[in-house]
Amino acid sequence: MGREITNIVEILNFYQALGFRELPINFFQSLIPSIQYSSTNIISNQSGIEILKEKNRFTDKDSLTDVMDELNKQIKNCIKCTLSNSRTHPVCGEGDLNSDIMFVGEAPGVEEDLQGKPFVGEAGKLLTSLIEKIGFTRKDVYITNTVKCHPPKNREPFESEISTCFDYLKKEIEIVKPKVIMTLGKVATFALMGAKGKIRDIHISKIRGQMFYYNNIPVIPTFHPAYLLRNRKDKWLTWEDAQQALRRLK
C-alpha cells in the first residue's frame, strides 16, 4: 500500500521548515519502504525543484506562517545593537508570504516606529500608490526593511547596524522566496550587494536602471519613496524600474 498524499505533503513541509530548497536525489524512491536512500545526495533536476516549489506555494501556508511568526518574535525581542534602546516598536515585514515580489526599504521612520508597521507614513502612501499602479495591493506583495528599528533623528543606519540586522532580512527572503526584489534606496541596495565598502559610495541615481542578483534572485534598485517626496520628477524613473520588475514576473 502506498503512502497517503497528506503524509507526503507533511514530509515536504518538514523539509521546507528545516530550510532545504532542494530534495534528496532519491526522495521519491524513499517513499517506498523497500528502497533505501542517502540523504547526502541532493536532487539537481529542475522537475524536483519545481515540485517542491509548487507544494510550498499551495499547501504550506500554515507552515510558512509559523516560521515567519517565529522570526518576527526574534525581531521583537532583539537587543543585538543600540537601536533597541531608543526604539518604540521594532518593525517586522508584512504581506503575502507567497508573494512573487518583495520591496525592501531602509529602516523604520517615525510613524513606523510608533505603529510597528512598515511604510505607513507619507513615504508609505507613495509606495502603496506605486504598488497599486503596477496592479497589486499591499496584501499581494511583501514589504520589509533592511534594519528593523528606527535610527534616532531619522539618521541613516550605520554599516554595523545593517550587518547586525541582515540575518533577519536574509531569513525573510528565504521564507518568501520572491521572484524579484526591489530595493528602495541605497541602504537596502548596499545590504543585498554584500555590504562591501561604505554606504556613502552607493549612488542610486547611478545604479538604478541596472540589475544584480542576490542568491539568484533578480534585484532591481530604485529610489526610496522618501526621496521621491522631495524629488517628484524622478517618480518616472521609479516607474521604469517597476516595469522592469514586472517583466521579470512574466
Side-chain angles (χ1 to χ4, degrees):
M1 187 100 176
R3 296 197 184 189
E4 295 182 1
I5 291 176
T6 54
N7 290 338
I8 297 173
V9 172
E10 288 175 2
I11 296 171
L12 289 168
N13 290 346
F14 175 71
Y15 271 94
Q16 169 64 17
L18 291 177
F20 287 98
R21 296 178 67 95
E22 298 175 336
L23 291 171
I25 194 165
N26 293 327
F27 174 78
F28 293 104
Q29 293 180 357
S30 73
L31 299 180
I32 304 173
S34 61
I35 300 178
Q36 296 182 348
Y37 72 98
S38 171
S39 61
T40 58
N41 294 323
I42 303 299
I43 195 165
S44 59
N45 66 76
Q46 187 63 27
S47 61
I49 296 173
E50 287 303 315
I51 289 171
L52 178 58
K53 182 177 179 182
E54 291 303 309
K55 289 291 184 182
N56 291 336
R57 285 276 169 188
F58 299 109
T59 68
D60 205 19
K61 184 175 180 180
D62 291 338
S63 178
L64 287 179
T65 300
D66 291 342
V67 174
M68 187 64 83
D69 285 347
E70 178 58 34
L71 177 64
N72 289 342
K73 185 185 299 183
Q74 294 175 24
I75 292 172
K76 291 175 181 178
N77 293 324
C78 183
I79 53 173
K80 292 181 180 179
C81 76
T82 56
L83 291 181
S84 62
N85 298 328
S86 58
R87 73 188 180 208
T88 303
H89 295 103
V91 179
C92 303
E94 66 175 18
D96 186 356
L97 301 186
N98 280 324
S99 178
D100 287 334
I101 184 168
M102 176 183 285
F103 294 88
V104 182
E106 178 178 296
V110 174
E111 285 300 318
E112 289 78 12
D113 180 56
L114 291 174
Q115 297 187 40
K117 299 182 67 176
F119 284 93
V120 293
E122 289 302 312
K125 292 178 182 178
L126 190 57
L127 176 60
T128 300
S129 176
L130 173 66
I131 291 169
E132 291 174 348
K133 285 180 179 178
I134 61 175
F136 299 100
T137 69
R138 282 182 64 118
K139 291 182 179 180
D140 297 324
V141 304
Y142 190 84
I143 303 171
T144 191
N145 280 301
T146 307
V147 173
K148 309 306 183 185
C149 296
H150 172 55
K153 299 181 180 180
N154 275 347
R155 67 163 172 79
E156 193 173 81
F158 299 142
E159 285 91 351
S160 60
E161 293 164 348
I162 295 170
S163 176
T164 299
C165 224
F166 184 72
D167 279 347
Y168 297 133
L169 175 59
K170 178 182 177 181
K171 187 61 178 178
E172 286 178 300
I173 295 172
E174 290 175 355
I175 294 171
V176 178
K177 296 183 178 64
K179 291 182 180 178
V180 64
I181 298 171
M182 288 195 72
T183 52
L184 309 174
K186 64 181 181 179
V187 170
T189 304
F190 172 81
L192 291 185
M193 289 180 73
K196 298 176 181 178
K198 298 291 183 181
I199 297 177
R200 64 172 179 264
D201 296 328
I202 300 291
H203 302 282
I204 289 297
S205 59
K206 296 180 180 179
I207 295 177
R208 65 138 305 272
Q210 305 176 43
M211 186 183 71
F212 63 95
Y213 288 85
Y214 171 80
N215 285 355
N216 295 321
I217 301 172
V219 178
I220 298 173
T222 194
F223 297 108
H224 193 284
Y227 167 86
L228 296 176
L229 291 174
R230 304 187 301 271
N231 302 271
R232 293 187 177 273
K233 61 181 177 59
D234 287 334
K235 288 172 64 176
W236 296 108
L237 298 176
T238 295
W239 177 250
E240 291 177 5
D241 298 333
Q243 295 303 304
Q244 183 181 5
L246 283 179
R247 288 192 291 273
R248 288 282 162 179
L249 296 180
K250 295 179 180 179

